[in-house]
Amino acid sequence: MRFPIALWAFSVALLTAAGARAQIQESPPAWAYPVNPPNFQRTPDDGTIRHVPDSAAGFTLTQLRDLFAAPDWHPDDHPLMPEIVARGRKPEVFACGVCHRADGPGGPENASLFGLSAEYIIQQTTEFKTSMRTNSVPRIATDLMIKLSKAVTDQELGEAAAYFASIKPRPTIAVVETEVVPKTQVRDLFLAPLDGTEKEPIGQRIIEIPENVEHFVSRDSRARFIAYVPVGSVQKGRTLAANSDPRVQCGVCHGADLNGTAIAPGIASRSPTYLFRQLYDFKSGARKGANSELMKPVVENLSIDDMIALVAFSASLKH
């Protein structure tokens, strides 16, 4: 159940991006679509009980990797998880709370679900089921979502959607403008800093990493992230997103504070890496479905730099 961005009203870029730049075919950037290296191996489980701050719970790595048991580190943070969220249904439907965490914050590799309407979650899951939602490059997370969506029942989906919709969203990302970033590696579909303190220029990238990698690996629903973005990105995004023409203002669909309206989801304070992929996938045509025809002309004139700026600005806002 990935967080979709249909109806993104960042069409202001149509008015500001140069026409010639729109014709440039830019490849999907590797930082936005992390792929595990060929020799990738998970850390073996040595039986150690892992812990996270402010929780009395404890789990081994084997337990944390069980796709049919969502670790619930902070049960007081949310209502009782439905069975489909907590344990899924073997053998085809993994527990929703494993990938998206117990109360829905997700991570850069997937969607945050809290704060979305139940109808919207159901709609997007249906679009995975019908293969209308794909990616510009192959992704394991998307393949798993498509497989799950074909097996989940309407009742199970309804219960999961209602549960995540009932949870109040909270900020999980700090946006930091910088010229240099920690060197990173792909660790199980997300970026993590290499050991040591070595830095490198950020270039035109977003480098989104957990504040504490092991807490995120442990599926702690309170895990937080730092999203490093190029200097000036937030202001550039704010400028692109602001326009006197009400037909192309972001807030027309997503609300003045980008926290959502009755017709479009909230996009403030969401993972900028995830949001970037959605813009790119709309532009490439990989993401279809409801409202994609509205999104396609909005994004077709966006460059990668424009997309970085827009999602940096959106992620910098608060719920």
Side-chain angles (χ1 to χ4, degrees):
M1 301 174 192
R2 300 179 49 192
F3 175 70
I5 322 174
L7 287 177
W8 186 304
F10 281 151
S11 52
V12 61
L14 283 170
L15 303 180
T16 58
R21 182 178 59 188
Q23 303 305 315
I24 297 174
Q25 298 299 314
E26 297 174 288
S27 299
W31 58 262
Y33 295 86
V35 176
N36 291 339
N39 60 348
F40 174 76
Q41 293 184 340
R42 285 179 160 183
T43 304
D45 185 1
D46 63 3
T48 300
I49 303 297
R50 299 168 72 94
H51 299 276
V52 302
D54 302 317
S55 175
F59 301 94
T60 65
L61 269 177
T62 298
Q63 291 174 316
L64 293 170
R65 292 168 178 167
D66 185 348
L67 296 178
F68 296 95
D72 194 0
W73 293 102
H74 310 285
D76 292 338
D77 284 0
H78 57 81
L80 181 67
M81 285 188 284
E83 184 74 9
I84 197 65
V85 175
R87 281 169 284 278
R89 175 171 48 80
K90 295 182 178 180
E92 300 171 304
V93 185
F94 304 140
C96 306
V98 169
C99 293
H100 296 284
R101 278 53 181 178
D103 59 356
E109 79 281 15
N110 60 25
S112 55
L113 299 179
F114 50 25
L116 301 178
S117 71
E119 294 78 12
Y120 199 72
I121 295 172
I122 291 170
Q123 171 192 316
Q124 297 306 309
T125 306
T126 301
E127 291 180 3
F128 278 118
K129 180 178 181 178
T130 56
S131 298
M132 301 192 78
R133 279 201 63 175
T134 59
N135 286 126
S136 301
V137 298
R139 295 190 71 242
I140 294 173
T142 302
D143 293 343
L144 291 175
M145 189 64 214
I146 291 173
K147 179 180 179 181
L148 179 152
S149 66
K150 293 180 184 297
V152 71
T153 68
D154 290 345
Q155 180 175 339
E156 290 168 338
L157 177 56
E159 290 173 354
Y163 167 76
F164 288 119
S166 73
I167 297 170
K168 183 179 179 179
R170 61 183 181 276
T172 60
I173 299 166
V175 175
V176 177
E177 293 190 344
T178 183
E179 295 181 350
V180 295
V181 294
K183 280 197 170 183
T184 57
Q185 62 183 340
V186 179
R187 179 170 174 177
D188 218 353
L189 305 181
F190 69 94
L191 296 181
L194 290 167
D195 293 337
T197 59
E198 193 170 357
K199 305 277 188 176
E200 64 183 359
I202 189 170
Q204 287 308 112
R205 299 182 296 167
I206 295 171
I207 300 299
E208 187 173 351
I209 60 176
E211 288 185 351
N212 185 299
V213 173
E214 294 310 313
H215 294 167
F216 182 61
V217 169
S218 296
R219 305 189 188 280
D220 182 5
S221 55
R222 292 185 184 177
R224 291 181 53 83
F225 294 84
I226 302 171
Y228 295 106
V229 302
V231 174
S233 295
V234 173
Q235 182 55 49
K236 178 182 177 182
R238 181 180 289 109
T239 300
L240 286 172
N243 192 276
S244 59
D245 186 342
R247 294 171 299 176
V248 293
Q249 289 177 346
C250 303
V252 170
C253 290
H254 294 281
D257 53 5
L258 302 189
N259 277 319
T261 65
I263 62 172
I267 53 178
S269 198
R270 304 280 183 177
S271 163
T273 307
Y274 177 82
L275 296 183
F276 178 95
R277 283 199 301 271
Q278 305 319 301
L279 286 181
Y280 193 97
D281 291 345
F282 275 124
K283 180 176 181 177
S284 73
R287 181 171 172 180
K288 304 179 180 66
N291 305 312
S292 62
E293 290 306 309
L294 294 176
M295 284 299 304
K296 183 69 173 179
V298 169
V299 299
E300 63 184 5
N301 280 3
L302 292 178
S303 69
I304 283 178
D305 288 356
D306 292 332
M307 295 181 195
I308 288 173
L310 288 167
V311 300
F313 165 63
S314 179
S316 73
L317 300 176
K318 303 303 181 186
H319 285 299

